[in-house]
Amino acid sequence: VQLQASGGGSVQPGGSLRLSCEASGFQFDYSVIGWFRQAPGKEREGVSYIASHDRGIYYVDSVKGRFTVSRDDAKNTAYLQMNDLKPEDTAVYYCAAGHVPLLRLWQVPDEYDYWGHGTLVTVSS
């Protein structure tokens, strides 16, 4: 099983980045995907969630209207398009996969079975 997040980098406030999460070794199309981030000194935070077969999409309030999650099951890849980035978005971003039986727990890291290495996003002027 492998999840590989990529696409991080350094941008100025107001800039954009698109993160990718490539998966292999499990049935991607039947898994939910969660995007999390962890800033220095802070707990890991659930940012976005996309259910299998696009049956549900959720965002933490702080990124609503700026971030868009999507997935391409044919490519076993999920994406997080991040626009109008702010300094407070600076963090290591992770993708995770699993089944998360209770939707209300989508932001709980322990609910996910597989994790990728993170990719660093730095927003600074």
Side-chain angles (χ1 to χ4, degrees), residues 45-68:
E45 174 189 38
V47 174
S48 184
Y49 162 103
I50 183 166
S52 60
H53 307 294
D54 292 338
R55 287 181 290 190
I57 289 176
Y58 299 93
Y59 301 97
V60 68
D61 286 348
S62 60
V63 308
K64 285 180 181 177
R66 301 188 296 122
F67 289 13
T68 303

Side-chain angles (χ1 to χ4, degrees), residues 21 27 70 77 79 119:
C21 174
Q27 199 160 9
S70 61
T77 302
Y79 305 95
T119 184

Side-chain angles (χ1 to χ4, degrees), residues 35-36 61 73 93 109:
W35 284 97
F36 289 77
D61 286 348
D73 289 346
Y93 283 71

Side-chain angles (χ1 to χ4, degrees), residues 45-115:
E45 174 189 38
V47 174
S48 184
Y49 162 103
I50 183 166
S52 60
H53 307 294
D54 292 338
R55 287 181 290 190
I57 289 176
Y58 299 93
Y59 301 97
V60 68
D61 286 348
S62 60
V63 308
K64 285 180 181 177
R66 301 188 296 122
F67 289 13
T68 303
V69 66
S70 61
R71 62 190 294 161
D72 185 340
D73 289 346
K75 296 182 179 180
N76 282 4
T77 302
Y79 305 95
L80 186 67
Q81 177 67 44
M82 306 187 296
N83 298 330
D84 190 23
L85 283 160
K86 303 177 180 182
E88 52 264 40
D89 295 318
T90 295
V92 176
Y93 283 71
Y94 300 86
C95 60
H99 293 90
V100 190
L102 296 177
L103 183 58
R104 62 182 172 85
L105 299 180
W106 75 265
Q107 291 178 290
V108 178
D110 286 347
E111 293 295 313
Y112 293 80
D113 300 315
Y114 312 121
W115 287 84

